[in-house]
Amino acid sequence: ERLRRVEAARDSLRAPRLPKRQAVVGGEHVAQRGFGQWLDQLDGTLAINTGFMVGHSAIRRLVMGERSIGHESTPEELEAMQALLRKSIEEGGFGFSSSWARTHNDGDRCEVPSRHATLAELLELCRATGRHAGTSLEFPAALLTSMPLATPPPRARPIRRCASRFADCSRA
């Protein structure tokens, strides 16, 4: 009986289970309903204080679709990403998170879309975040100290062929 109560208490602290893609990238759910409504669905279901960053890969996937992997954003796509980032922060996002880490892969073991962003794209999204008081930026510190800001994202190895719901993440 005591073990059952301990397990029930532990289970009550777990976050709600979301479909794999929704948990990782937000997918169509965020695109259709918005970041704020996604946060509202979690309200009252978590037993701890939480905050969520707006992910660069999620924004790229929602705006660019299949082009989010292996392509630079166009000026129009960058404007759309900035607008989505701004809206998501206004709806409760704590800030912006990105990564060029070569170990940052998705559930299909493909490179995440943020690894295909240019430095100019990254900086423009950081500037958009900075226009909101009290926001945060997240980027792996090891990359900041080991990579000159004038270089593009590291591409040490060719991308392997990998079928994904969003794109074939092989190099063309």
Side-chain angles (χ1 to χ4, degrees):
E1 176 63 24
R2 181 166 188 237
L3 179 60
R4 187 189 61 74
R5 285 187 303 194
V6 169
E7 288 175 349
R10 184 192 65 219
D11 290 345
S12 72
L13 297 176
R14 289 190 177 139
R17 288 245 179 239
L18 301 173
K20 178 181 173 184
R21 284 284 178 207
Q22 183 179 336
V24 174
V25 300
E28 290 78 22
H29 177 80
V30 173
Q32 293 167 359
R33 299 180 63 202
F35 193 77
Q37 287 189 9
W38 181 78
L39 289 177
D40 288 345
Q41 115 181 358
L42 298 177
D43 194 26
T45 63
L46 302 176
I48 55 175
N49 294 327
T50 57
F52 296 91
M53 303 293 277
V54 181
H56 192 177
S57 291
I59 289 174
R60 274 191 130 239
R61 278 188 169 133
L62 292 171
V63 170
M64 296 176 65
E66 291 185 14
R67 286 183 26 81
S68 67
I69 296 176
H71 300 278
E72 292 184 11
S73 60
T74 64
E76 296 78 20
E77 289 168 334
L78 181 55
E79 283 183 34
M81 283 188 271
Q82 289 172 311
L84 182 56
L85 174 59
R86 181 173 43 256
K87 181 177 186 279
S88 297
I89 289 172
E90 289 168 357
E91 292 177 349
F94 273 28
F96 175 66
S97 176
S98 188
S99 172
W100 284 346
R102 65 182 181 157
T103 56
H104 195 173
N105 299 307
D106 66 16
D108 297 321
R109 297 183 181 171
C110 293
E111 291 182 348
V112 295
S114 63
R115 291 177 63 182
H116 298 269
T118 62
L119 178 61
E121 177 184 316
L122 178 65
L123 293 177
E124 285 303 315
L125 292 169
C126 289
R127 283 186 192 100
T129 303
R131 293 184 185 107
H132 299 273
T135 54
S136 296
L137 295 172
E138 180 182 44
F139 195 81
L143 291 177
L144 292 176
T145 59
S146 66
M147 178 176 48
L149 288 179
T151 62
R155 301 272 196 278
R157 60 175 176 72
I159 303 169
R160 66 178 183 79
R161 191 166 266 316
C162 178
S164 148
R165 181 172 159 234
F166 294 99
D168 172 0
C169 52
S170 63
R171 293 220 189 230

